[in-house]
Amino acid sequence: LPFKEGRVFKINFYHPGFDIPKDIFYEVLKSEEITIAGNKIDCWVLNYKSVKPQGYQRYWITKKTKELIKEEDKFGEFYRYKFKQLINEN
């Protein structure tokens, strides 16, 4: 995807276990540098806003390799975080 702050993407997405694919809107919220395992990584933050249940999913995608390295989910009162395991090569 051609990431740029404020840009919105409409992606036809199929979630396993649901009936049919549907169009999902993802917005590039910002650029952010995060540190994982001592590595500073420049990322784009991509956001999906959920209505039912109310919440969001955010994805940190590296600018350099376009890898998903962090995910933060909030649905109702529940939070979930996922990180890609990185090895510090310093």
Side-chain angles (χ1 to χ4, degrees), residues 11 25 36 40 47 61 73 78 81:
I11 299 173
F25 292 90
I36 298 178
K40 289 187 179 190
N47 187 67
I61 300 169
D73 303 333
F78 298 97
Y81 296 92

Side-chain angles (χ1 to χ4, degrees), residues 2-43:
F3 295 104
K4 182 179 179 182
E5 194 168 322
R7 191 167 274 173
V8 176
F9 300 102
K10 179 174 87 170
I11 299 173
N12 190 265
F13 182 77
Y14 173 72
H15 191 284
F18 288 85
D19 294 335
I20 59 172
K22 62 180 181 175
D23 289 336
I24 302 292
F25 292 90
Y26 294 90
E27 178 185 7
V28 181
L29 292 180
K30 61 185 175 179
S31 174
E32 182 175 277
E33 185 177 85
I34 63 174
T35 302
I36 298 178
N39 298 297
K40 289 187 179 190
I41 304 164
D42 200 14
C43 297

Side-chain angles (χ1 to χ4, degrees), residues 62-77:
T62 67
K63 289 183 178 181
K64 185 176 181 180
T65 64
K66 306 292 191 258
E67 292 177 272
L68 171 63
I69 60 168
K70 178 182 172 184
E71 179 180 340
E72 174 185 301
D73 303 333
K74 181 184 185 303
F75 294 107
E77 297 300 316

